[in-house]
Amino acid sequence: MSYSSKYIYATLPRTQRGTPIVLGGDPKGKNFLYTNGNSVIIRNIDNPAISDIYTEHSVPVNVAKYSPSGFYIASGDQLGKIRIWDTVNKEHLLKNEFQPIGGPIKDISWSPDSQRIVAVGEGRERFGHVFMSETGTSVGEIAGQSKPINSCDFRPARPFRIITGSEDNTIGVFEGPPFKFKMTKQDHSRFVQAVRYSPNGNFFASGGFDGKVFLYDGATADLISEMGSPAHKGGVYGVAWKPDNSQLLTASGDKTCRLWDVETKTVVSEFIMGNQVEDQQVSCLWQGPHLLTVSLSGFISYLDVNDPNKPIRIIKGHNKPITVLTLSPDRQTIYTGSHDGFITNWNASTGENDRVEGVGHGNQMNGMKSVDDYLYTCGIDDSLKQVNTKTNSYTSVDVKLGAQPRGMDLKGDIIVAATVKEIIVLQNNRKMNSVPVNYEPSCVSINSEQPFVAVGGALDNKVHIYNMNGTNLDEKCVCEHLGPITDCSFSPDGNYLVACDSNRKVILYKVPEFQVFSITYSWVLPFFWN
């Protein structure tokens, strides 16, 4: 039997406090881009549930940008490499790979003819470089600024110009090709985080950590005006132009976005995005009729110009590694829990999602199971919690386990949680019994048809089988492996147990004898029965 990908439930952008991120827009208006880990995420802007992922970088990627032709994407990573790859073919064939600088790349910009690329960041010898996209041949040097460069942009009209925003608080202006340093603008008093030309090239805008936004002439780089005084109460992380050049969108760490009229230099609308730290705005993009912003939580909001009080849409999900996953009893909903303790529910057929509300574990989750209208979770805060799936929120159930749980399973009103010190049996959300252990459990599974519980050992390389009589557990036998057990699970009909270990051995046991039925070798951590 062969398998093919049917849906991709995309990650959110990876964010970090105090660091802006860059969104890339499709010149054809169909998609937008961002990065997370080693991946570039391509999402349909009208239907974000449609997505694609490029995973060919060997280290984390910081930025990706479409070429003006729309046929290629250039993505830059932590090692200073830029990969230029095809957008037309499903395989995203690599066209070229270059290393313009010797350190993390923070921003990329294409020339309007798609022939040249400028890349900037934290290189050891230089902070930026301009080169031909076909050959990698140098067409200028980015010099004249003394600290890492956070942002860059190509003027989309002749005569060509390049602007850069640096951590030395300056904006660099370069003329070419070949591109040479012309001047620096020293109007900002703190890091310059974003510089962007207007679509017609007549202006460019800059935003900095001083909360200020300045407007300059696109050809001469003369200062025209400051927008506001200052534009925001917190640092400005992103600026984006309306396609007709008449308005400017700014995103700030003060948890607001503002829409500015370029002619009058006044605020048209203010979007208050929240009052929590995770509501800080770290990026923005104006793509056709869509105004997108990214918060520190990774949520992507579609702003409504006609109603600044409520976004048109908020894309939610995870931007940290997913550590647990389970299905609803009807298999129509997928629940995922992440390293940072958040739970997301996904519609299995459409990819639409929402985040579970309320106070959760606040840290990594190690177990999750669903029954009826409830979802049970355990995390490294040494507790077991309950979620009401109808209200999509945590309930008041909060059972302290006394040690870090490594896994859990449930059957009816009985829950078995395996902590590093003991196996705990709960009934009706109350601790009823426990069995001390010294093999550091790694996983647990309850047989749905027969009175057996299987617990995997991380220290003794064994699967321990227990008879379960009510809430009492008595060890029946052990199944030996050659490496630590990473997961185990009974089949839905209760006739088989499958267990896998760190030596990539997967063993199928026949129940109730627990004799080896078959052995396979494959890289397996968690799994589900069909």
Side-chain angles (χ1 to χ4, degrees):
M1 179 184 291
S2 62
Y3 294 89
S4 61
S5 175
K6 187 174 182 181
Y7 299 114
I8 295 174
Y9 303 145
T11 176
L12 295 174
R14 177 63 63 87
T15 59
Q16 184 177 343
R17 191 168 181 180
T19 304
I21 67 168
V22 179
L23 297 177
D26 179 358
K28 299 176 183 177
K30 182 180 178 182
N31 302 316
F32 67 100
L33 302 171
Y34 56 84
T35 65
N36 188 315
N38 294 19
S39 303
V40 178
I41 316 299
I42 308 169
R43 295 190 85 156
N44 185 290
I45 200 161
D46 292 312
N47 182 6
I50 301 172
S51 59
D52 194 7
I53 301 180
Y54 180 79
T55 59
E56 297 302 312
H57 281 269
S58 59
V59 296
V61 196
N62 294 333
V63 57
K65 290 283 191 71
Y66 273 97
S67 65
S69 68
F71 295 131
Y72 296 98
I73 291 173
S75 50
D77 63 28
Q78 284 284 96
L79 293 180
K81 289 184 178 179
I82 286 186
R83 294 177 68 89
I84 301 172
W85 40 281
D86 166 68
T87 63
V88 179
N89 295 303
K90 185 178 179 180
E91 297 78 15
H92 299 307
L93 300 175
L94 179 67
K95 180 184 180 183
N96 281 313
E97 182 178 72
F98 304 116
Q99 182 144 12
I101 62 175
I105 290 174
K106 292 189 171 187
D107 201 4
I108 293 169
S109 184
W110 292 77
S111 63
D113 56 9
S114 299
Q115 294 184 5
R116 302 169 184 85
I117 294 175
V118 56
V120 297
E122 298 183 44
R124 288 184 291 273
E125 293 87 15
R126 56 191 178 190
F127 301 125
H129 192 54
V130 195
F131 58 93
M132 300 299 293
S133 62
E134 290 284 345
T135 62
T137 306
S138 174
V139 284
E141 289 296 327
I142 301 299
Q145 290 168 300
S146 59
K147 291 185 179 180
I149 297 175
N150 297 320
S151 183
C152 65
D153 204 19
F154 243 108
R155 185 168 187 249
R158 294 182 182 273
F160 286 159
R161 300 281 188 273
I162 290 174
I163 50 172
T164 59
S166 171
E167 292 183 6
D168 67 2
N169 308 342
T170 67
I171 298 167
V173 181
F174 301 82
E175 291 182 338
F179 291 91
K180 295 180 180 179
F181 174 77
K182 181 182 180 183
M183 70 178 83
T184 56
K185 309 297 290 185
Q186 301 179 355
D187 301 297
H188 286 278
S189 59
R190 296 189 65 190
F191 291 1
V192 181
Q193 297 288 47
V195 289
R196 291 291 181 263
Y197 274 103
S198 60
N200 61 9
N202 290 345
F203 307 101
F204 72 83
S206 65
F209 263 4
D210 51 8
K212 295 184 177 183
V213 174
F214 292 103
L215 186 67
Y216 299 88
D217 183 278
T220 65
D222 293 336
L223 175 64
I224 295 174
S225 175
E226 180 180 352
M227 310 291 274
S229 55
H232 287 273
K233 295 178 182 178
V236 177
Y237 286 74
V239 297
W241 287 87
K242 188 176 182 179
D244 68 2
N245 311 286
S246 65
Q247 292 181 329
L248 184 70
L249 176 66
T250 58
S252 171
D254 66 5
K255 311 176 190 68
T256 69
C257 295
R258 287 183 172 177
L259 195 59
W260 302 84
D261 183 277
V262 173
E263 185 175 348
T264 63
K265 319 298 185 297
T266 58
V267 177
V268 177
S269 299
E270 181 179 45
F271 306 86
I272 299 173
M273 308 304 293
N275 54 21
Q276 304 297 316
V277 171
E278 60 265 24
D279 296 317
Q280 293 180 359
Q281 301 301 297
V282 296
S283 187
C284 61
L285 175 71
W286 200 318
Q287 177 93 332
H290 303 289
L291 286 74
L292 276 61
T293 70
V294 180
S295 66
L296 185 60
S297 65
F299 287 1
I300 303 170
S301 298
Y302 287 58
L303 304 182
D304 188 347
V305 176
N306 299 316
D307 183 8
N309 298 316
K310 185 179 180 181
I312 298 171
R313 166 191 285 159
I314 301 177
I315 302 175
K316 300 181 181 180
H318 298 286
N319 68 352
K320 300 293 191 297
I322 293 172
T323 56
V324 289
L325 180 151
T326 193
L327 299 173
S328 62
D330 62 5
R331 304 175 78 87
Q332 298 302 305
T333 304
I334 301 168
Y335 296 99
T336 53
S338 60
H339 182 76
D340 52 7
F342 291 114
I343 300 174
T344 300
N345 63 66
W346 308 78
N347 185 305
S349 59
T350 66
E352 295 293 328
N353 66 60
D354 199 4
R355 178 170 285 183
V356 170
E357 299 176 351
V359 179
H361 296 279
N363 215 316
Q364 180 173 319
M365 303 170 66
N366 285 343
M368 177 186 290
K369 291 292 178 180
S370 177
V371 61
D372 299 327
D373 295 335
Y374 294 98
L375 182 72
Y376 289 89
T377 65
C378 61
I380 63 173
D381 61 347
D382 301 352
S383 71
L384 181 139
K385 296 181 184 290
Q386 182 191 66
V387 173
N388 185 320
T389 56
K390 292 294 185 184
T391 63
N392 195 42
S393 61
Y394 281 95
T395 70
S396 58
V397 172
D398 185 1
V399 182
K400 301 304 179 185
L401 301 176
Q404 187 181 123
R406 292 296 180 82
M408 59 170 288
D409 201 1
L410 51 80
K411 180 180 178 181
D413 61 355
I414 292 180
I415 298 174
V416 177
T419 75
V420 294
K421 293 181 178 179
E422 59 185 354
I423 312 298
I424 300 173
V425 182
L426 303 100
Q427 188 171 31
N428 296 321
N429 305 322
R430 294 175 57 194
K431 195 181 296 187
M432 305 299 293
N433 196 9
S434 64
V435 178
V437 295
N438 58 7
Y439 53 80
E440 194 170 301
S442 59
C443 52
V444 59
S445 180
I446 303 176
N447 192 303
S448 61
E449 302 296 328
Q450 303 183 57
F452 299 126
V453 175
V455 181
L459 297 181
D460 64 356
N461 306 344
K462 297 175 181 178
V463 181
H464 298 257
I465 310 300
Y466 294 88
N467 284 310
M468 185 165 66
N469 182 16
T471 58
N472 294 318
L473 295 179
D474 298 305
E475 190 161 4
K476 170 183 169 68
C477 62
V478 296
C479 305
E480 297 200 12
H481 283 240
L482 295 178
I485 309 301
T486 55
D487 202 6
C488 66
S489 178
F490 283 103
S491 61
D493 61 10
N495 292 329
Y496 298 95
L497 170 71
V498 63
C500 57
D501 59 40
S502 62
N503 286 348
R504 69 185 185 90
K505 183 183 288 188
V506 181
I507 301 180
L508 186 66
Y509 299 94
K510 188 75 175 70
V511 177
E513 302 87 358
F514 293 97
Q515 298 297 316
V516 175
F517 188 79
S518 70
I519 300 176
T520 338
Y521 285 88
S522 178
W523 288 113
V524 176
L525 290 174
F527 41 64
F528 284 95
W529 288 88
N530 186 6

